[in-house]
């Protein structure tokens, strides 16, 4: 009899839970934060072997540069793939009612063996060359940027009226962001990226492979309205072994 009563109580609780999950309010609660994912095919990236060098100019834009006469040449997707770049697709989805001031950026880490990470300097003083690049093309002006240095929402990137500014609580300077809501998410809902390794990371002698792991984040400003990767709204990652060392 006790077992029957216990079973009956559990059945009632389960049925109430199912009813609650089907309500409209609960459906909205499923969108507490956006979702982000990365899709790519190969797990290995070759060192860059393109006809031209990759160069970042004064406006943070990447271009091809001729090694002989230093002419700047426009980047194309076909040339990136021919030079060894790995194409990937970054997707962002959100259907909630809130809106957020964010940056969509990437952080790179080197590793050896199967995953012993060492943080790379994501904001190196000399960006030419970087060991690992995650190039994306700004749909607004066609310029190419690396998400490790200049993702969506950074000051060098403008996406029309969807860019917004905060004021730094630390020094009063302008802090640039992207206003993310259930309408503007369409702009970044599917982004084609090109991951490029220009050098192999240093590895321990006893291991015969090394590579890079990349973390993509929708990053929120911290308590001083700055971005330092402490406040993460959503994130996803991937890793690539470096071949042809």
């Amino acid at each position: 009899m006790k077992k029957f009563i216990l079973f009956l109580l559990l059945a009632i609780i389960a049925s109430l839970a199912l009813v609650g999950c089907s309500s409209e309010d609960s459906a909205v609660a499923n969108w507490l934060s956006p979702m982000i994912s990365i899709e790519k095919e190969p797990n290995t990236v070759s060192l860059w072997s393109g006809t031209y060098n990759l160069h970042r100019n004064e406006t943070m834009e990447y271009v091809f540069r001729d090694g002989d006469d230093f002419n700047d040449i426009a980047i194309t997707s076909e040339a990136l793939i021919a030079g060894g770049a790995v194409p990937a697709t970054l997707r962002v989805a959100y259907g909630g009612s809130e809106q957020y001031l964010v940056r969509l950026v990437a952080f790179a880490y080197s590793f050896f063996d199967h995953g012993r990470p060492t943080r790379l300097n994501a904001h190196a003083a000399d960006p030419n060359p970087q060991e690992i690049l995650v190039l994306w093309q700004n749909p607004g002006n066609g310029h190419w940027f690396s998400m490790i240095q200049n993702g969506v929402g950074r000051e060098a990137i403008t996406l029309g009226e969807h860019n917004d500014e905060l004021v730094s609580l630390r020094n009063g300077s302008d802090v640039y962001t992207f206003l993310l809501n259930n309408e503007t998410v369409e702009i970044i809902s599917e982004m084609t990226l090109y991951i490029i390794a220009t050098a192999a990371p240093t590895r321990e002698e006893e291991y015969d492979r090394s590579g890079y792991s990349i973390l993509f984040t929708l990053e929120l400003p911290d308590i001083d309205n700055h971005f330092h990767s402490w406040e993460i709204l959503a994130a996803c990652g991937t890793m690539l072994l470096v071949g042809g060392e």
Side-chain angles (χ1 to χ4, degrees):
M1 185 65 180
K2 290 183 179 179
K3 289 183 178 180
F4 175 77
I5 293 174
L6 178 60
F7 176 79
L8 182 61
L9 288 173
L10 289 174
I12 292 172
I13 292 171
S15 63
L16 289 175
L18 288 174
V19 171
C21 289
S22 64
S23 68
E24 291 184 5
D25 291 340
S26 181
V28 173
N30 289 335
W31 281 105
L32 292 176
S33 68
M35 295 187 292
I36 181 173
S37 66
I38 184 72
E39 178 185 343
K40 63 170 179 48
E41 281 203 13
N43 291 317
T44 301
V45 59
S46 300
L47 291 179
W48 175 252
S49 60
T51 304
Y52 304 108
N53 296 321
L54 287 157
H55 176 80
R56 190 173 78 159
N57 59 27
E58 295 78 7
T59 60
M60 310 299 177
E61 173 193 358
Y62 271 88
V63 294
F64 285 143
R65 174 160 285 187
D66 191 311
D68 296 326
D69 53 17
F70 300 102
N71 290 327
D72 288 351
I73 300 167
I75 289 176
T76 65
S77 302
E78 295 77 10
L80 290 175
I81 294 174
V86 171
T89 302
L90 189 70
R91 294 186 173 89
V92 179
Y94 181 57
S97 58
E98 300 295 327
Q99 59 182 13
Y100 307 91
L101 295 175
V102 301
R103 287 179 180 174
L104 177 55
V105 296
F107 296 93
Y109 303 79
S110 62
F111 69 86
F112 57 92
D113 192 24
H114 63 276
R116 291 171 171 79
T118 302
R119 174 69 188 272
L120 290 175
N121 184 358
H123 306 288
D126 180 10
N128 301 312
Q130 289 286 315
E131 295 94 337
I132 186 77
L133 303 174
V134 181
L135 294 187
W136 69 284
Q137 190 174 28
N138 186 339
N141 54 23
H143 294 174
W144 290 87
F145 298 92
S146 175
M147 292 195 72
I148 298 174
Q149 300 154 330
N150 292 100
V152 176
R154 290 294 300 270
E155 54 268 32
I157 314 301
T158 57
L159 292 176
E161 61 186 10
H162 307 299
N163 274 68
D164 208 338
E165 293 182 24
L166 292 172
V167 176
S168 168
L169 301 181
R170 187 183 64 188
N171 56 24
S173 61
D174 293 333
V175 180
Y176 294 84
T177 65
F178 175 74
L179 180 63
L180 177 68
N181 55 40
N182 59 14
E183 295 181 357
T184 63
V185 69
E186 182 64 25
I187 300 172
I188 56 174
S189 62
E190 185 169 305
M191 299 172 62
T192 300
L193 311 176
Y194 298 90
I195 304 172
I196 301 166
T198 62
T202 303
R203 62 169 182 255
E204 302 282 330
E205 291 184 2
E206 63 266 34
Y207 299 103
D208 61 357
R209 60 184 184 178
S210 61
Y212 297 98
S213 60
I214 304 171
L215 179 69
F216 298 92
T217 71
L218 284 168
E219 184 182 5
L220 293 167
D222 65 12
I223 57 174
D224 287 324
N225 284 344
H226 271 250
F227 289 83
H228 294 294
S229 75
W230 311 132
E231 303 286 342
I232 302 298
L233 184 62
C236 67
T238 190
M239 62 189 297
L240 287 162
L241 294 171
V242 175
E245 299 180 37

